[in-house]
Amino acid sequence: MIRVLCFAGALAGGVSLSQFPEFSQQYLQRLGGQVDALTIVAKDFDASALESGLGREEALQQLTGTQFSEDHQADMRRTFARQARLSENLAILRAASPMERLTMPHRMADTEVLHEVWADFAPAVPVTAAGAVAAGTGLLGGWAMMAAFLGMMMLPFRKRQTRTKPEPKKRAEPAVRQEPSVVHSGPTLVATPPSHVPRLMGAER
């Protein structure tokens, strides 16, 4: 049963991770669109600030005095920070190969882009080397994760079995067999040399 569950986990991991190269490609396309849109907003703000003889930071500091202005300042700061972060991720992902992108999931963690990609994602059959490597990695990872999960689930039961396991019975040592002593009942005959036999002097036997 455990092997069947581990095989199911390996299969699920292989199928899921085999889609990573195609998913990363679609993410890269969406990411490029997001960076373009954010760059337009940043350039428009910088152009407006420049017309007033201000730099970006100086223009942001002047967005105070009212709740609307302060909220707008906070929004623009988040926009500039996101534009810089996504631009860096886009440059690194474009320079990486599909195999290298397997080690860069942290570069594809923008929530908004992920939601857009997932909404339109269509699974594809992995026919590339990156897809095969991803599928193999998913198989091994799925098997290992399922085995570890089942091992943790079964650990309390194994401890309980160890505690309640009866001690093995000691093997009884064989008793030493005592031979019955032989008791002689009856008279004991003792040979005694005759004392009245005449002895012949000088006779040779």
Side-chain angles (χ1 to χ4, degrees):
M1 184 63 181
I2 295 180
R3 290 185 178 180
V4 174
L5 293 175
C6 289
F7 179 78
L11 186 61
V15 172
S16 300
L17 201 57
S18 66
Q19 301 301 312
F20 182 83
E22 178 64 23
F23 187 87
S24 66
Q25 184 63 32
Q26 295 186 25
Y27 182 92
L28 191 60
Q29 295 173 0
R30 295 278 185 173
L31 181 62
Q34 284 286 332
V35 170
D36 290 341
L38 292 171
T39 302
I40 292 174
V41 174
K43 287 182 177 180
D44 288 343
F45 184 88
D46 291 341
S48 299
L50 186 60
E51 290 179 358
S52 300
L54 301 173
R56 176 183 293 182
E57 185 59 32
E58 293 174 339
L60 288 172
Q61 290 178 0
Q62 289 192 8
L63 294 176
T64 57
T66 64
Q67 186 65 41
F68 175 79
S69 298
E70 293 178 357
D71 292 342
H72 184 52
Q73 180 187 156
D75 291 339
M76 293 307 301
R77 289 189 182 278
R78 283 192 295 267
T79 298
F80 294 144
R82 185 165 181 258
Q83 188 267 343
R85 184 179 68 256
L86 295 188
S87 296
E88 180 184 0
N89 291 340
L90 179 63
I92 293 175
L93 290 173
R94 280 179 173 173
S97 65
M99 298 285 290
E100 292 173 338
R101 290 174 195 162
L102 291 172
T103 63
M104 300 178 181
H106 59 288
R107 297 290 180 180
M108 295 179 283
D110 186 76
T111 306
E112 185 175 344
V113 180
L114 282 173
H115 178 74
E116 292 179 356
V117 175
W118 184 253
D120 298 331
F121 179 70
V125 178
V127 293
T128 61
V133 171
T137 305
L139 286 171
L140 296 177
W143 182 285
M145 291 179 63
M146 182 59 71
F149 174 76
L150 293 176
M152 293 178 62
M153 294 293 293
M154 295 296 294
L155 187 60
F157 299 98
R158 291 176 181 174
K159 289 184 178 180
R160 186 179 304 173
Q161 290 179 357
T162 303
R163 293 174 181 175
T164 58
K165 185 177 180 181
E167 296 182 359
K169 296 181 179 180
K170 294 183 179 180
R171 188 175 179 181
E173 298 181 359
V176 180
R177 183 178 179 183
Q178 296 182 352
E179 296 292 338
S181 57
V182 180
V183 179
H184 296 280
S185 59
T188 301
L189 301 179
V190 179
T192 56
S195 57
H196 303 290
V197 177
R199 183 176 182 182
L200 299 178
M201 300 298 295
E204 294 182 358
R205 295 183 178 180

